[in-house]
Amino acid sequence: MQFITSLSCLLFSWSFIAIGVEFVAPVLKERPVVEPEETLNILINHDTIMMIITLFCAAVFIMVMYGRWLKVKLAFQATTKQSFIDSLLANTREAIWIADKDREIEKINTAYSDLFGLDEDEIVGKCFKVYNDEGRNYEVENIIWQEVVKTGFWHGELWTYNKDNQRISIDMSVTRVATSQKVTGQVEVKYVGMMFDVTDRKHNEQALHQLATRDQLTDLPNRTLFIEYIKHSISTIQPSLPHIAVAFIDIDNFKKVNSSIGLLQGDEIISMVATRLEKQLDSSISIARLGGDEFALLVPNVLCGSNPIVYIEKVIHDVQQCFKQTFQIADQEVNLTTSIGVAIYPTHGTKADALMRCADTALNRVKISGRNDALIFDHAMDDITSDDLNIESELVGALNNNELSIHYQPLFHSKEERIYGFEALVRWNSKTRGLVPPGHFIEIAEQNGLIRQVDFFVLKEAFSAAQRWYDKGLMRGRIAVNISSVNFQQAEFVCQIKELVASINGNCKLIELELTETAMMIDAPTVAKNISILKSMGFTIALDDFGTGFSSLGHLKQFDIDKVKIDRSFIHEIEFNEQDRNITSVIIQLAGHLNIDVVGEGVENEQQAYLLHVMGCHHLQGYLFSRPLPEPQLMEYLKELPKTLPNVSQRMNIGR
C-alpha cells in the first residue's frame, strides 16, 4: 500500500507540472514579439526553470521513495526477526523467561509453562521466584540478582517447586542484556533466564551416591563414607573433648556359618546384626558395614568425654550383648560371637587411615588369641606389624639361601588300607627365627609377590621327589602341591608351568595341583581353560578347603575337577556336631554322584576316621596316620607301613 501511495504522489506531481506548463504556454504565446536575443534568453530561462523544477521534484521523489522503502524494509526485517524469536522461544526445549529492567517478566515460552505448570498471564508482570520447603527462598534469589548486577551473569543449579508443589531441580542461567537505541541513544535493559530440568539427573546422582556410600544389604554407611565420617570428626574436634574412638567388629567363623546355612540366610543374619547394633547403641554412634561380616563404629567425642576408656568398655559390652541372643533363621538357631578391635584419637593416630589401621591390628590380635574378645590397640602391637616387614626381607634371603624345605604328608585309603598319595608342604627353618609357621610367612609371601617363587620351588621339588621315588618303586599315587590363588590368577601361570615341566623333564602324571575356590572365583572362563590345559598335560586337579568358599556346588559342576578336600573345620568336631556331620555327608554324597574323589582333611582320631569311612569318604589325611615328614623320615615310614597299617584299621573299627 505504501508503494502504491508513493507512486500516486509521483503521478500527481508530474500531472501538476504538466498542467502548469500547459497553462503557461498560451500566456507566453500571447506576449508581444520580442527580439530574437530576448526570445532566446526567455526560452533559456524558461527551460532552465523547468529543468530545475523537474530535478528538484525527482530528488524529492527519490528521497521520499527511499525513505518509504527503507521503512518498509526495516519493518519487514523486524517482523521477520520477531517471528524468528517467537518461533525459537516456542520450539526450544529450554524454559526461557524475559524480564524488563525492573525484573518483571514480560514473556515466557511454552517450555517454561510446561516446566512450572504456569500460563503466561499467571507469570507476566511478576518476578521469577525460587521456593523451598518453608516457602519463598529470598536468600537464593538475592544471591542470584547480586551476581547478575555485579557481573551481568549467573549460572547454577537449584531446587524449587512447580505449581503442583512438586520439587524440581533446574540448571538455570540469568543474563543481563543491554541494547542501545541508535536514534535516541537510550539503553534498554532486559534480563533473560534460561533453564533446564535436571530433576532426573539429580535423582540418578543421588542413587549413584547411595550406591557408592551405602551398603546395599544393610543400608549402613560403607567404608568410603565411614572414612569421611572419621575425617569430619577429626576436623571438628574440640579441645575440651579431644577424643573419638574407632572400633572394628568381626563375626567369628562366619564363613563356616555361611557355608552351613547358605548365602541368603547368611545375608539375613548380617541384616539382623546391623539392626541389633542400631537398636543397642547410642544413636550418635556411627555404624558402618565395611564388607562381609565386618562392621565398624565411630564413637564421637561427646560420648568419649575426657576418659574415653570408660565409655568404650560400655560400647564393647553393648556390642557383645547383641550377640548373646540366638539368631533365628527359619527353623535354625545360630549362635555367634564377635571379635572387636578399638583405636582412640589422638592416642593411636591423628588421621583416619592410622586409626583404622590400629583398630584392624587390634582386631587381628583378638583373632590370633582365640576370638570372642575385645582389645584396645597398644603400640606394642606395632612391633608385630613391623616384624612382618622383617620376615618379608628374610624370606627373600631364605629363597636364595636354601632355607626352605619340603615335608610330605601321606594320604591313607581306608577301604583298601594303603597309602595312595602325598601332599607336599613347604617349611621354613630360619637361621635366626627357627621354624616359622607356614600360616605366617605364606600370607606375607602372597602380599608381596614372593609366593610365585615359593610355589614354583615346592612344585620343582615335588617333581624331583616323585621321579626319585618312582625310580625306586616307592611312589604311591601322586604328590599334591598347593597353588596359591594369587599365582593361578596370573595370565602367564600356565605358560610358566609348561616352561618348568620342559626344563626339568617333569612327569605331570605324578603330580596333583590343589587349588582353592578363591582362585576360581576371579575369571571362571579363564580358570576352566587353564584347568583343561593342565589336565591335558597329565596333572590331576583337586579343590582344596572345600565348603569354606561362596559357590562350592557351582564349582563342582562348572570345572573339570578330579578331587575335593573337605576342609578340616568340618572334620574337627564331626563326632560331636550334628551340623558338621550333615554338611560332610552331603558333600560326600554329592561328590559321589559326580564321580569326584573326596578327601577328609585334618583327621586326628579314630572316631573321625570311622565316621568318614562309613559315610563313604575313604581318602583320609591327618595326624592320625602321619604328620608331614621330611623325605628321609618318610622313607623310613614307608618301610614300616606294612606293620602299622593293620593296627590303624583296627583302631578305626573298619571291618566291624
Side-chain angles (χ1 to χ4, degrees):
M1 289 297 295
Q2 291 179 339
F3 177 77
I4 295 173
T5 303
S6 300
L7 183 61
S8 300
C9 292
L10 176 63
L11 294 175
F12 175 78
S13 300
W14 279 108
S15 300
F16 179 78
I17 293 170
I19 292 171
V21 172
E22 290 298 325
F23 176 76
V24 173
V27 175
L28 292 176
K29 289 181 182 180
E30 293 176 2
R31 291 184 64 181
V33 177
V34 292
E35 294 296 327
E37 285 186 10
E38 253 182 85
T39 303
L40 183 59
N41 290 335
I42 290 171
L43 289 173
I44 291 173
N45 291 338
H46 176 266
D47 292 341
T48 301
I49 291 170
M50 290 299 295
M51 185 178 296
I52 291 171
I53 292 172
T54 302
L55 291 174
F56 175 76
C57 290
V60 170
F61 170 74
I62 291 171
M63 290 176 65
V64 171
M65 288 301 298
Y66 176 75
R68 291 185 174 275
W69 174 80
L70 186 62
K71 185 176 181 181
V72 170
K73 178 183 177 182
L74 292 175
F76 177 76
Q77 288 178 341
T79 302
T80 304
K81 189 174 183 179
Q82 186 61 45
S83 297
F84 174 76
I85 293 173
D86 291 342
S87 177
L88 182 65
L89 289 174
N91 292 285
T92 185
R93 295 182 179 181
E94 292 77 24
I96 298 174
W97 54 264
I98 301 173
D100 59 19
K101 60 183 180 61
D102 297 321
R103 306 173 191 172
E104 293 180 354
I105 295 177
E106 296 178 333
K107 190 172 186 60
I108 61 172
N109 65 348
T110 304
Y112 186 98
S113 297
D114 295 339
L115 178 59
F116 288 94
L118 296 168
D119 295 330
E120 189 166 358
D121 57 354
E122 294 180 272
I123 193 66
V124 169
K126 301 176 183 177
C127 295
F128 175 77
K129 299 179 181 67
V130 180
Y131 295 94
N132 58 21
D133 294 336
E134 287 75 31
R136 188 170 173 183
N137 195 339
Y138 290 99
E139 182 180 357
V140 171
E141 291 180 15
N142 290 334
I143 292 173
I144 294 173
W145 289 115
Q146 286 173 8
E147 186 68 19
V148 172
V149 171
K150 182 180 178 181
T151 66
F153 181 77
W154 179 88
H155 174 260
E157 293 182 357
L158 53 87
W159 286 93
T160 186
Y161 286 87
N162 62 15
K163 185 179 180 180
D164 297 330
N165 205 33
Q166 294 176 331
R167 195 163 182 259
I168 58 174
S169 180
I170 57 174
D171 181 315
M172 183 174 73
S173 62
V174 181
T175 306
R176 182 178 181 272
V177 180
T179 306
S180 58
Q181 298 292 336
K182 294 182 179 180
V183 179
T184 62
Q186 294 180 345
V187 177
E188 184 181 15
V189 175
K190 300 282 187 182
Y191 295 99
V192 179
M194 182 176 293
M195 293 169 290
F196 303 85
D197 184 1
V198 293
T199 307
D200 291 340
R201 175 167 65 81
K202 283 296 182 182
H203 288 157
N204 290 337
E205 289 175 356
Q206 290 174 351
L208 289 174
H209 183 266
Q210 180 82 358
L211 289 173
T213 60
R214 291 279 173 177
D215 174 59
Q216 299 305 297
L217 178 61
T218 63
D219 200 37
L220 292 175
N222 62 9
R223 181 181 295 271
T224 301
L225 188 55
F226 186 71
I227 293 173
E228 292 302 316
Y229 284 173
I230 299 175
K231 290 179 179 179
H232 177 73
S233 295
I234 292 174
S235 66
T236 57
I237 207 75
Q238 301 173 15
S240 58
L241 298 170
H243 300 289
I244 62 173
V246 174
F248 278 13
I249 304 169
D250 190 79
I251 303 175
D252 297 331
N253 299 314
F254 192 71
K255 284 186 177 179
K256 183 176 179 181
V257 174
N258 229 355
S259 300
S260 302
I261 64 176
L263 290 177
L264 294 178
Q265 287 77 9
D267 285 347
E268 190 174 345
I269 286 182
I270 292 294
S271 298
M272 293 171 67
V273 169
T275 302
R276 288 188 185 184
L277 288 173
E278 288 182 300
K279 290 181 178 179
Q280 184 74 24
L281 301 176
D282 190 283
S283 59
S284 58
I285 295 177
S286 298
I287 308 171
R289 184 188 179 208
L290 303 184
D293 55 81
E294 192 170 12
F295 293 83
L297 307 178
L298 174 60
V299 185
N301 58 347
V302 293
L303 295 181
C304 286
S306 58
N307 186 6
I309 301 295
V310 175
Y311 192 81
I312 288 170
E313 290 177 348
K314 179 184 181 304
V315 171
I316 291 172
H317 176 266
D318 289 343
V319 171
Q320 291 173 337
Q321 286 297 116
C322 292
F323 292 85
K324 291 291 184 183
Q325 183 181 352
T326 300
F327 291 86
Q328 187 74 34
I329 303 295
D331 296 331
Q332 292 181 299
E333 290 187 352
V334 180
N335 294 304
L336 299 175
T337 59
T338 184
S339 300
I340 306 171
V342 183
I344 302 172
Y345 173 93
T347 309
H348 303 136
T350 57
K351 293 185 178 179
D353 57 346
L355 289 172
M356 294 184 71
R357 180 184 62 80
C358 291
D360 191 48
T361 300
L363 175 64
N364 288 331
R365 293 304 300 165
V366 176
K367 292 179 180 179
I368 292 172
S369 60
R371 305 176 186 270
N372 192 23
D373 201 355
L375 279 178
I376 297 176
F377 178 79
D378 188 289
H379 284 292
M381 298 177 186
D382 267 337
D383 296 336
I384 299 172
T385 304
S386 300
D387 191 51
D388 289 347
L389 297 176
N390 295 330
I391 289 180
E392 180 178 323
S393 60
E394 291 174 21
L395 182 57
V396 176
L399 287 163
N400 298 326
N401 300 327
N402 298 319
E403 292 183 13
L404 298 184
S405 62
I406 306 299
H407 288 199
Y408 301 90
Q409 186 173 32
L411 281 73
F412 180 69
H413 197 297
S414 63
K415 192 173 184 179
E416 300 177 1
E417 298 187 4
R418 65 179 177 85
I419 298 298
Y420 75 96
F422 310 88
E423 181 174 359
L425 301 166
V426 65
R427 295 293 183 263
W428 178 18
N429 191 7
S430 171
K431 294 179 181 179
T432 58
R433 297 174 180 271
L435 192 63
V436 182
H440 196 172
F441 73 85
I442 290 296
E443 182 179 353
I444 294 174
E446 288 182 331
Q447 293 173 355
N448 61 23
L450 291 172
I451 194 64
R452 179 190 175 279
Q453 297 179 53
V454 173
D455 277 1
F456 276 82
F457 166 79
V458 177
L459 192 57
K460 187 176 180 181
E461 290 294 312
F463 269 115
S464 179
Q467 192 62 49
R468 285 195 303 272
W469 303 347
Y470 182 80
D471 293 340
K472 294 178 181 179
L474 297 175
M475 187 62 193
R476 314 287 175 85
R478 297 175 181 247
I479 298 179
V481 178
N482 291 284
I483 300 298
S484 168
S485 61
V486 175
N487 282 328
F488 200 76
Q489 292 165 16
Q490 301 299 318
E492 65 276 10
F493 173 74
V494 172
C495 293
Q496 292 170 347
I497 291 288
K498 289 182 177 179
E499 292 174 2
L500 174 64
V501 171
S503 66
I504 63 174
N505 193 27
N507 186 351
C508 299
K509 294 181 179 180
L510 301 178
I511 303 296
E512 181 172 88
L513 301 180
E514 292 188 359
L515 310 175
T516 63
E517 287 185 288
T518 305
M520 300 182 178
M521 290 175 65
I522 304 301
D523 184 356
T526 301
V527 169
K529 180 181 178 182
N530 289 344
I531 289 177
S532 177
I533 295 172
L534 292 171
K535 286 177 67 67
S536 68
M537 294 172 63
F539 292 104
T540 55
I541 305 297
L543 183 57
D544 198 14
D545 300 332
F546 187 78
T548 60
F550 296 100
S551 55
S552 303
L553 300 181
H555 289 156
L556 290 182
K557 180 180 178 180
Q558 185 175 7
F559 302 114
D560 188 9
I561 297 168
D562 301 290
K563 184 184 298 181
V564 295
K565 303 185 75 173
I566 302 174
D567 187 70
R568 65 183 67 248
S569 63
F570 296 104
I571 309 299
H572 181 62
E573 296 183 354
I574 191 172
E575 65 266 46
F576 309 112
N577 191 309
E578 183 180 358
Q579 193 174 61
D580 285 347
R581 286 198 299 274
N582 291 336
I583 293 172
T584 303
S585 176
V586 168
I587 293 174
I588 293 170
Q589 292 178 41
L590 176 64
H593 289 309
L594 297 174
N595 295 319
I596 297 175
D597 290 335
V598 185
V599 180
E601 290 186 301
V603 180
E604 297 181 356
N605 58 55
E606 293 86 351
Q607 185 66 17
Q608 293 172 353
Y610 173 74
L611 288 172
L612 288 169
H613 176 74
V614 298
M615 287 180 185
C617 176
H618 307 302
H619 298 149
L620 308 176
Q621 178 182 356
Y623 286 179
L624 174 64
F625 311 104
S626 174
R627 290 177 177 271
L629 301 170
E631 185 174 349
Q633 294 182 24
L634 179 67
M635 296 298 101
E636 294 295 325
Y637 172 84
L638 293 178
K639 290 179 182 178
E640 298 293 325
L641 200 58
K643 301 177 183 178
T644 59
L645 278 183
N647 294 330
V648 173
S649 298
Q650 290 175 8
R651 294 201 310 270
M652 291 166 53
N653 296 320
I654 295 176
R656 289 188 181 182

